[in-house]
Amino acid sequence: MSLNLQTAHSLCLLRLSAIGDVCHAVAMVQAIQRQYPDLKITWVIGKVEYQLLKHLPGVEFVIFDKSQGWRSYLNLRKALKGRRFDLLLHMQVALRATIASLAISAKVRLGFDRARAKEGQWLVTNRRVEPLATPHVLEGFMGFAKAVGVTDLQPKWEIPVPAADTEFARQLIPDGDKTLVICAAASKAERNWLPERYAQVADHALEKGYRVLLCGGPVPMERQLAEAILTHGDARIENQVGKTSLTQLLALLKQASIVLAPDTGPAHMAVTQGTPVIGLYAHSNPGRTGPYTCLESVVSVYEQAIAQQHTGEVPWGTRAKGAHLMEMIQVTPVIAEFDRLVSGAG
């Protein structure tokens, strides 16, 4: 049964991480805002994710900094002291989020259905969204908007970027420049494709008249992967890894013609900007976590990997395990997908 927000004044959203997930959550938040423009929305969010979304209109952010350990919970309670919301959307099934939710006072506490409400989430909610058998993460989030009476559930994104960051991106990738952006690194190294194979795709793109930029964060693993790609590839590959803020990266992804990435946040950032994404998947089901508007462009070996590890029916969210699964993805189908997108753009 749908909740009635016509008389509600305040809503609190709890979704701390990660980059891809908060991109999905933005579509849900903005669907709610279109139907209830006067509703006051407070979002409890992670410190890193806030850097991407801090300019989002009509949203008050409260930062939960998990690096502070147990103090993070005390700081959240202090930040929200004396406040009571009409509704809490509890959208993260992690024990950390379950504990954090205890600092949020709300009349109605909406969580996932029983099958998805893990890590004790069902203990701290009093209403549930309707069950979904095989949802994409974004569809699962949209279930919260549906539960509060939103009728337009078509995902749309409007993530503001400072003018200086947009100008930075246009200086680096002028309007009309044919550019492949490779965001090569996932949060875990085992989800990264092989550097020599990234390099082969990059070289092919260069031969097709495209510029190739490597983008990503400043952590050592990402820098090392970029250097390995450069070692194997054409000297014309441009390395921007570790040189951009999250909002600058978002602007670059908007300027890109095509983005190539594994199961990682920038793939979903590119989706919010309407840029075609070639996703590389082995460990997780792309039907659940793939780039939502570009699922037809995913190159996946997940089905083969999961079939080698399980027999019979496999639960929708099951991950394939192994340190070398990404090696199953060959270069040929990735280049074929690049060529298909190029011919479509032409």
Side-chain angles (χ1 to χ4, degrees):
M1 184 175 65
S2 177
L3 298 167
N4 182 7
L5 285 192
Q6 295 294 345
T7 59
H9 300 288
S10 61
L11 178 153
C12 183
L13 164 66
L14 176 61
R15 181 72 215 192
L16 305 175
S17 60
I19 291 294
D21 290 324
V22 298
C23 286
H24 300 324
V26 167
M28 189 277 306
V29 166
Q30 295 186 328
I32 291 175
Q33 288 178 315
R34 288 193 297 273
Q35 185 142 341
Y36 304 107
D38 296 327
L39 186 66
K40 294 180 180 179
I41 298 177
T42 300
W43 187 337
V44 180
I45 194 169
K47 183 179 180 180
V48 173
E49 292 75 15
Y50 169 73
Q51 295 304 317
L52 176 64
L53 303 184
K54 59 186 176 182
H55 303 291
L56 215 60
V59 178
E60 172 202 15
F61 288 100
V62 175
I63 297 173
F64 180 89
D65 184 359
K66 65 180 181 181
S67 69
Q68 296 175 344
W70 61 268
R71 288 187 178 86
S72 59
Y73 302 101
L74 297 179
N75 291 338
L76 178 60
R77 181 175 292 277
K78 182 178 180 181
L80 296 177
K81 185 177 180 180
R83 300 180 63 177
R84 182 168 174 80
F85 299 94
D86 293 317
L87 174 65
L88 167 66
L89 303 185
H90 191 331
M91 297 176 58
Q92 186 152 352
V93 288
L95 183 59
R96 181 173 71 252
T98 297
I99 298 171
S101 76
L102 298 175
I104 303 169
S105 177
K107 299 174 186 176
V108 178
R109 304 171 68 87
L110 182 65
F112 286 104
D113 59 281
R114 189 65 177 85
R116 289 179 287 168
K118 302 172 183 176
E119 302 283 349
Q121 193 205 54
W122 71 91
L123 297 172
V124 294
T125 57
N126 54 27
R127 296 288 289 271
R128 298 171 185 167
V129 299
E130 68 179 38
L132 293 172
T134 57
H136 189 280
V137 171
L138 190 151
E139 293 164 348
F141 286 1
M142 277 297 185
F144 284 81
K146 183 179 181 181
V148 299
V150 174
T151 53
D152 178 9
L153 300 175
Q154 185 65 31
K156 306 178 185 75
W157 290 270
E158 185 61 46
I159 304 177
V161 172
D165 293 343
T166 298
E167 181 59 26
F168 164 84
R170 284 181 170 156
Q171 289 287 334
L172 197 56
I173 307 177
D175 292 347
D177 262 22
K178 298 189 296 183
T179 307
L180 170 66
V181 169
I182 300 177
C183 295
S187 58
K188 296 182 179 179
E190 67 178 16
R191 297 184 204 162
N192 297 340
W193 203 29
L194 282 66
E196 59 269 25
R197 296 184 189 178
Y198 277 124
Q200 289 180 63
V201 177
D203 290 353
H204 176 80
L206 289 164
E207 290 171 5
K208 291 285 187 176
Y210 277 66
R211 292 174 60 199
V212 178
L213 268 65
L214 304 180
C215 292
V219 299
M221 183 265 283
E222 296 205 36
R223 292 184 185 275
Q224 290 162 12
L225 180 56
E227 290 297 331
I229 294 169
L230 294 171
T231 298
H232 290 283
D234 190 294
R236 291 174 291 169
I237 299 173
E238 303 168 53
N239 186 9
Q240 289 292 320
V241 171
K243 300 178 182 178
T244 57
S245 67
L246 276 173
T247 47
Q248 287 173 333
L249 176 58
L250 189 67
L252 282 175
L253 294 171
K254 183 175 184 177
Q255 291 295 105
S257 307
I258 299 171
V259 172
L260 173 63
D263 185 8
T264 186
H268 305 290
M269 290 169 62
V271 165
T272 72
Q273 302 306 299
T275 303
V277 179
I278 303 172
L280 305 177
Y281 279 71
H283 292 85
S284 58
N285 183 348
R288 181 178 179 274
T289 64
Y292 187 73
T293 59
C294 305
L295 297 180
E296 75 285 353
S297 301
V298 166
V299 179
S300 173
V301 295
Y302 170 78
E303 296 78 6
Q304 299 95 295
I306 209 72
Q308 292 173 5
Q309 298 178 14
H310 298 270
T311 57
E313 187 174 350
V314 179
W316 180 244
T318 303
R319 288 185 177 273
K321 298 179 181 179
H324 304 287
L325 298 184
M326 293 294 285
E327 295 176 14
M328 296 168 63
I329 301 176
Q330 300 301 313
V331 172
T332 300
V334 181
I335 287 178
E337 195 53 49
F338 173 84
D339 288 344
R340 185 185 72 81
L341 290 174
V342 167
S343 63

